[in-house]
């Protein structure tokens, strides 16, 4: 039987453990191994190309067979990806690890959100979903901040030890994931065959977005703003080094930028009555301001830019996700969230190599 408090608490724990990693500053780790920004940008492209292929099927499988099962599978993919990085000796092994890391996000994307929302819905408590999302974003930022704060430690230990520790933490996360209560989005629905059901879920989701064009627009705009912020924070890891920051200060600087997301996650809860259009305009301006400040070449302003960008990105993403979840039908919830992530991956595939070139010359 569902215990909502235990369910949400476990989701918080797995969220924290999933975001804690010595390899969080993976751009710095790859750069320290001698890989260029262009190579790193291409590795990011491989990551998002995999996401492009797997994102929608993973959401459909979550709706068909259960969200908990996909979360477990995502944990396993992360451990495999970390172990491949541990054994990697050249660029091709690095590229091989990217699909596994991507699939770990694919199988978690949509599944966790759908599991949380439908758990709340079973207890008629879905009005608390935006607060739950805000808390998860804060947990993610804290975990990511701690991970990037340990960037210097990862460089000191070396990439092999760092990825081995990360794999061990993935196994711990898996143990907690296994204690979650399963909620299927399509209980009682007969599955004639996997292929037919995937086609059915896909066409139903596209039909839904065709009828709800506002939801489709929100998906695209939110994904574009998020892509710009993610790329900025990724490449700031390397650009701060170029600007002259020391190894000892790099971790704290990256941590300060992550704190911006925490501020944004709290501020958006205080703007419940604000129109979505106004929130989107302000947050977009914040992300663009971050890009401009990055190009000053001054460490303090670059860190401030990352802080503002993270703050704006988390705020708009939390508001968008809450509004979309209210619109999505339960039996298609994970699939539609995956479609949103699919949109993000398409945008990242286009922007990642461009950003790698852009940040390398300017």
């Amino acid at each position: 039987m569902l215990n909502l408090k235990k369910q949400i608490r476990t989701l918080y724990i797995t969220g924290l453990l999933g975001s804690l990693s010595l390899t969080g500053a993976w751009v710095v780790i790859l750069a320290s191994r001698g890989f260029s920004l262009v190579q790193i940008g291409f590795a990011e492209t491989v990551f998002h190309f995999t996401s492009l292929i797997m994102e929608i099927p993973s959401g459909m499988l979550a709706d068909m067979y259960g969200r908990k099962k996909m979360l477990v599978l995502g944990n396993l993919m992360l451990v495999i990806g970390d172990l491949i990085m541990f054994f990697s000796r050249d660029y091709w092994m690095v590229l091989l690890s990217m699909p596994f890391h991507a699939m770990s996000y694919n199988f978690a994307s949509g599944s966790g959100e759908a599991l949380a929302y439908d758990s709340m819905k079973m207890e008629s408590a879905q009005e608390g979903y935006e607060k739950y999302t805000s808390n998860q974003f804060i947990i993610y930022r804290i975990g990511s901040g701690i991970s990037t704060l340990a960037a210097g430690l990862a460089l000191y230990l070396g990439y092999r030890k760092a990825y081995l520790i990360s794999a061990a933490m993935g196994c711990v996360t898996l143990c907690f994931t296994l204690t979650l209560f399963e909620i299927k989005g399509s209980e009682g629905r007969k599955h004639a065959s996997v292929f037919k059901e995937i086609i059915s879920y896909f066409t139903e989701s596209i039909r839904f977005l065709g009828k709800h064009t506002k939801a489709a627009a929100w998906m695209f705009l939110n994904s574009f703003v998020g892509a710009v912020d993610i790329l900025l924070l990724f490449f700031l890891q390397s650009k701060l080094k170029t600007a002259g920051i020391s190894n000892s200060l790099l971790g704290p600087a990256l941590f300060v930028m992550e704190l911006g997301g925490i501020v944004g996650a709290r501020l958006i809860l205080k703007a419940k009555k604000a129109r979505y259009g106004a929130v989107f305009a302000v947050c977009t301006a914040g992300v663009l301001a971050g890009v401009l400040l990055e190009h000053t070449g001054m460490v303090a302003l670059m860190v401030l830019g990352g802080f503002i960008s993270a703050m704006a990105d988390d705020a708009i993403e939390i508001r968008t996700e809450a509004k979309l979840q209210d619109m999505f039908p339960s039996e298609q919830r994970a699939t539609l969230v995956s479609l949103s992530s699919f949109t993000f991956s398409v945008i990242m595939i286009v922007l990642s190599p461009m950003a790698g070139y852009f940040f390398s010359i300017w």
Side-chain angles (χ1 to χ4, degrees):
M1 182 176 291
L2 173 65
N3 181 327
L4 183 59
K5 288 185 178 179
K6 179 179 181 295
Q7 183 91 324
I8 298 302
R9 183 171 63 249
T10 303
L11 285 170
Y12 284 149
I13 292 172
T14 56
L16 176 61
L17 292 175
S19 61
L20 285 173
S21 174
L22 275 178
T23 59
W26 66 272
V27 172
V28 173
I29 293 174
L30 288 181
S32 71
R33 295 177 62 182
F35 299 117
S36 68
L37 285 179
V38 174
Q39 286 178 307
I40 295 171
F42 183 73
E44 180 74 7
T45 300
V46 172
F47 177 99
H48 288 286
F49 183 74
T50 303
S51 290
L52 185 72
I53 296 172
M54 293 299 300
E55 187 62 64
I56 297 176
S58 67
M60 294 175 183
L61 291 172
D63 282 331
M64 290 166 60
Y65 299 111
R67 286 73 185 265
K68 174 184 172 179
K69 292 183 180 67
M70 296 306 109
L71 290 174
V72 168
L73 190 55
N75 289 159
L76 293 173
M77 290 293 155
L78 180 61
V79 172
I80 293 172
D82 285 342
L83 290 176
I84 292 175
M85 274 291 202
F86 168 76
F87 288 110
S88 68
R89 288 285 188 264
D90 55 32
Y91 185 60
W92 297 110
M93 287 288 284
V94 170
L95 293 183
L96 179 62
S97 76
M98 289 296 156
F100 288 96
H101 283 115
M103 286 188 287
S104 73
Y105 286 102
N106 290 149
F107 287 110
S109 172
S111 299
E113 294 93 331
L115 188 60
Y117 190 91
D118 283 333
S119 295
M120 291 180 176
K121 191 174 182 179
M122 283 184 67
E123 300 295 320
S124 300
Q126 61 266 37
E127 68 278 358
Y129 182 76
E130 185 169 90
K131 183 178 180 180
Y132 164 81
T133 305
S134 174
N135 290 338
Q136 282 287 35
F137 270 75
I138 290 173
I139 288 171
Y140 171 77
R141 288 294 185 181
I142 290 174
S144 297
I146 293 173
S147 297
T148 52
L149 191 61
L153 177 60
L155 294 176
Y156 173 76
L157 292 174
Y159 76 93
R160 299 188 78 243
K161 289 182 180 178
Y163 274 102
L164 186 61
I165 293 172
S166 181
M169 292 184 65
C171 292
V172 174
T173 305
L174 175 61
C175 293
F176 280 98
T177 303
L178 289 170
T179 67
L180 288 167
F181 181 83
E182 180 70 282
I183 297 178
K184 291 184 180 180
S186 56
E187 287 180 314
R189 178 168 174 168
K190 295 181 179 180
H191 304 300
S193 71
V194 173
F195 179 75
K196 288 183 179 179
E197 283 300 310
I198 286 178
I199 296 299
S200 175
Y201 271 88
F202 181 75
T203 54
E204 288 174 10
S205 298
I206 295 300
R207 191 177 299 117
F208 172 86
L209 292 176
K211 292 180 180 179
H212 299 81
T213 55
K214 183 179 290 187
W218 287 346
M219 282 184 180
F220 177 81
L221 293 173
N222 180 59
S223 295
F224 185 82
V225 173
V228 175
D229 171 61
I230 290 296
L231 288 168
L232 172 64
L233 296 182
F234 274 167
F235 286 104
L236 267 173
Q237 295 176 21
S238 178
K239 295 291 285 185
L240 283 170
K241 290 284 292 179
T242 303
I245 195 169
S246 64
N247 284 337
S248 61
L249 291 179
L250 177 60
L254 296 176
F255 182 72
V256 167
M257 291 190 290
E258 294 288 350
L259 292 178
I262 296 176
V263 174
R266 280 305 176 205
L267 285 178
I268 195 63
L269 295 180
K270 299 181 181 298
K272 289 186 176 294
K273 296 183 179 180
R275 292 176 58 251
Y276 182 80
V279 172
F280 178 79
V282 171
C283 291
T284 301
V287 173
L288 293 177
V291 174
L292 291 175
L293 288 171
E294 184 276 332
H295 282 85
T296 62
M298 300 173 62
V299 170
L301 291 180
M302 293 167 74
V303 173
L304 176 62
F307 180 94
I308 294 173
S309 181
M311 178 176 66
D313 180 32
D314 278 18
I316 190 59
E317 190 163 353
I318 289 170
R319 177 54 50 86
T320 302
E321 185 174 323
K323 291 179 75 67
L324 288 174
Q325 289 288 0
D326 287 339
M327 299 175 67
F328 293 163
S330 292
E331 65 274 11
Q332 295 172 252
R333 193 176 307 283
T335 302
L336 287 164
V337 174
S338 291
L339 274 170
S340 181
S341 298
F342 174 85
T343 302
F344 175 78
S345 294
V346 172
I347 293 172
M348 285 292 286
I349 284 175
V350 175
L351 292 185
S352 290
M354 294 172 59
Y357 178 73
F358 176 74
F359 283 110
S360 68
I361 64 171
W362 191 20

